[in-house]
Structure formats: C-alpha cells, structure tokens
Amino acid sequence: MTGFDHVGLTRPASQLVTVFGGSGFLGRHVVRALAKRGYRIRVAVRRPDLAQFLQPLGRVGQIVGVQANLRNPASIVRAAEHADIVVNLVGILQESGSQSFQRLQADGAAEVARAAAAVNAPMVHVSALGADEQSPSAYARSKAIGEARVFEARPDAVVFRPSIVFGPGDSFFNRFAGLARMLPVLPLAGAEARMQPVFAGDVAEAIARAVEGQVQGGRAYELGGPEILSLQQLVEYTLKVTMRSRVVLPLPAPAARLQARVMEIVDTATLGLLPDTLKLTRDQVALLQSDNVVSEAAKAEKRTIEGLGIAPTAIEAVVPGYLWRFRKAGQFATGRGTPDMAATPDLLAPEPMGPGSQHHPGDASGPAVGQLAAGAGPAPGVRWGKRQ
C-alpha cells in the first residue's frame, strides 16, 4: 500500500474533502492548503456560522460549512456523506462540561472513522506526539485510544502525531507572551520537558500531501520541528521576542500539581470565566512530565516530516512576526537598551562597514548571488565610501 492510490486518479476539483474541526487553529491552515490545490471542502463544525471566515481562502462555493458534533453520530454520518476523503482535526487541550477527552478524542475519532469507512473514503487523522494508553495523562491516553479505533475502522488511515504546533493564533507562544504581560514571575510546570515545536503550515502541508495520496497509509507519522528545546528555553525565547524581563520559576512536580489544583478550583468558582491564559490542569502537569519529541524509531523508518519531503520551519522564522503585539510599544518597539541594539547606529558611524557600524551585508542570512557568490567583484558596502 502506497497511500490513497485511487484518490490520485481524479482531479482535485472533482474531489470533496470533509474536514472535521476545520475552523480551529490548525484547521484554517489545512483548509487553505487544500483550497490552493483545488479541492472542494466541506468544513464540519459545531457552529457553521463561525466558520464563514474560511470562505475567502478559496473560490466562490469551494468551501462550505456544515453542522456536525462528534458527540452526535448522526451528524457525523451526514457530514461524511458523499465525501471522497475525510480529515479529522478535532481535539481539546482541557475538558469542559460535556467536552471530555474520551468523548471527543477517543469515541469521536472512532465515529468519524466509521463514517469514513461507510462511504469508502480514505481518512487522515491528527493525533498528538506522546499519545500512549499507559500515560498518566488522560489527554495522551484518549489520543492513543482514538488512534487505535481509527485503524480498526480504516486500516489504511494516515495518522499524524505533531508536537507543539505554533503559528499565528497558537495557544502556546501567545499564552506565555500574555502571561508575561500580566505577571512579574512566571511559575513553570515541567520546565525541563523537551519539546519539538512544529509550524502549523508544515503540518497542514503534510496533511494535504496525505490527501493527495503521497503518504503511505496504515502508519502513524511523528511531526516535529528542526529544534528540540526545553519548555523553559521556549519561555525564555518568548520573553526575548516580546522584549520583557521576567523571572522564570521552575516548579517541582508537587508544587505544580498544587498550582494546577488551585487554578481548577478558581475556574470552577468563577463558572469557567477564568481567562484561558491562566488556566492550568493537573492533567496538563502530568503531560509535562514527559518529553514531547520525535522518537528514534520514527526517524529510522522515515515517519517524520523530513521523511515526507518537507523542510520544517524554525520558530525564529515565524514567531517574531506575531508576538510583536505583546511588546510594550508593539511593532514600533526598537529594543533600545538590549545587547542587539548596543552598537552605534549606521547613520552615526564614520564608515558604513566599520567596527562601529551595524551595516554588515556579509553577515546577512540567505545565499549569495552573482559575482559575490564566487568571491569576485567589490566587497559589499564599498560603493558607499566613507563619510567626511
């Protein structure tokens, strides 16, 4: 089996893809990637009116929202009807009322897989790195159970396990940037846990390639970015980008569990009105006791994002572009007083490429072109000469 072979025999414009959870953070990237390829897209969500913002991502009539709830099997069947491919992106980070890990990420995934099997549609399912039925975290257990049930109904399904997913609107970097704006001290549960953040656009590209039939089915792929960093390092990077000086306080596991319990009580007492930025659960603390990185087995078997032919995007290439709003002066913050701005501005330096100048074209990122690539021609900056 090399993938969804029969899907690639027809043009994308004649293919209907049902995307469950397509209005979420990852969903909008997936819908965009599929729309660019020409697929007709049915976005299955609880509130179709809240998915209308997706329509400009495609042509008129290409993207349509329909009502579906993973706790209602009949609505799942209706949403999957006549679909050529089914994609399931539904997931939650914490339980709330009837929205439980078991009902959405285990039972719900099973219902979507059965609906896909009923219409003989291939399926792409998004799980999470660290999914394990023996995990102390209910979140990780439900993800593992969901994977198993998907494979039971659709043995040829493609399952993706991304690490922490980042991008504009994410709930990771934005969360810590928001906390840094409110608190002088950032107590950190699981500070030493290693993570491998992966760009949402790269995950969407992997899913789109699976829909096209370029990814072998019946396997679980682990998606991670190019860097492995601890949670504390990622928080410190967030502080650097937002130009804020805060104390990062790593918490031992018992203290972290106590903090989470207090937050749970406060959230209940306020009838769920506690801002998402401040919410922390004991299940999340349990999840942070383990690393969230791509396994060596996945690397050896090329079940990784690189194995799919995708060059992963580094956080430095994306995160600064949407965290600037957390700086005190927003996009106009200059970083005055930081080491990066300690050098004399080029406007005041006596020589454009001298010791006191910030103008150093040779240090810029990106490949050299033309004569400069071969070492010929004048050195960059020479044509400006010296100031008198």
Side-chain angles (χ1 to χ4, degrees), residues 308-386:
L308 298 175
I310 301 172
T313 305
I315 58 176
E316 292 85 357
V318 178
V319 173
Y322 61 88
L323 285 192
W324 58 259
R325 67 189 184 92
F326 290 97
R327 298 172 184 171
K328 290 182 179 180
Q331 61 180 314
F332 303 106
T334 62
R336 186 175 299 168
T338 62
D340 293 337
M341 298 295 290
T344 305
D346 187 54
L347 292 175
L348 302 179
E351 188 175 347
M353 294 185 64
S357 172
Q358 291 181 334
H359 179 65
H360 297 285
D363 295 337
S365 59
V369 294
Q371 294 181 334
L372 295 179
V382 167
R383 62 180 180 274
W384 282 281
K386 296 184 178 181

Side-chain angles (χ1 to χ4, degrees), residues 50-76:
L50 299 182
Q52 292 181 0
F53 73 94
L54 295 170
Q55 292 181 357
L57 299 178
R59 302 185 305 274
V60 175
Q62 184 182 7
I63 303 169
V64 177
V66 298
Q67 200 282 330
N69 191 325
L70 262 59
R71 294 182 286 108
N72 184 339
S75 70
I76 297 174

Side-chain angles (χ1 to χ4, degrees), residues 210-374:
V211 169
E212 289 180 316
Q214 299 182 30
V215 181
Q216 181 176 341
R219 310 176 79 190
Y221 295 81
E222 301 182 7
L223 308 182
E227 297 175 288
I228 297 177
L229 300 168
S230 70
L231 177 57
Q232 181 169 347
Q233 288 175 315
L234 290 170
V235 172
E236 290 172 346
Y237 172 74
T238 302
L239 294 175
K240 178 182 177 181
V241 171
T242 57
M243 298 180 182
R244 292 185 181 273
S245 178
R246 296 291 185 267
V247 176
V248 179
L249 180 62
L251 296 178
R257 285 191 291 269
L258 177 61
Q259 180 195 21
R261 180 54 180 158
V262 171
M263 290 295 100
E264 290 174 344
I265 293 174
V266 172
D267 188 38
T268 302
T270 58
L271 302 179
L273 297 179
L274 186 70
D276 290 342
T277 303
L278 295 175
K279 291 181 179 179
L280 179 67
T281 67
R282 285 170 291 176
D283 192 77
Q284 291 171 341
V285 172
L287 193 62
L288 287 171
Q289 301 309 306
S290 303
D291 290 338
N292 196 259
V293 299
V294 174
S295 68
E296 293 300 323
K299 294 177 183 177
E301 298 168 9
K302 295 186 177 181
R303 294 184 291 108
T304 63
I305 198 164
E306 294 88 351
L308 298 175
I310 301 172
T313 305
I315 58 176
E316 292 85 357
V318 178
V319 173
Y322 61 88
L323 285 192
W324 58 259
R325 67 189 184 92
F326 290 97
R327 298 172 184 171
K328 290 182 179 180
Q331 61 180 314
F332 303 106
T334 62
R336 186 175 299 168
T338 62
D340 293 337
M341 298 295 290
T344 305
D346 187 54
L347 292 175
L348 302 179
E351 188 175 347
M353 294 185 64
S357 172
Q358 291 181 334
H359 179 65
H360 297 285
D363 295 337
S365 59
V369 294
Q371 294 181 334
L372 295 179

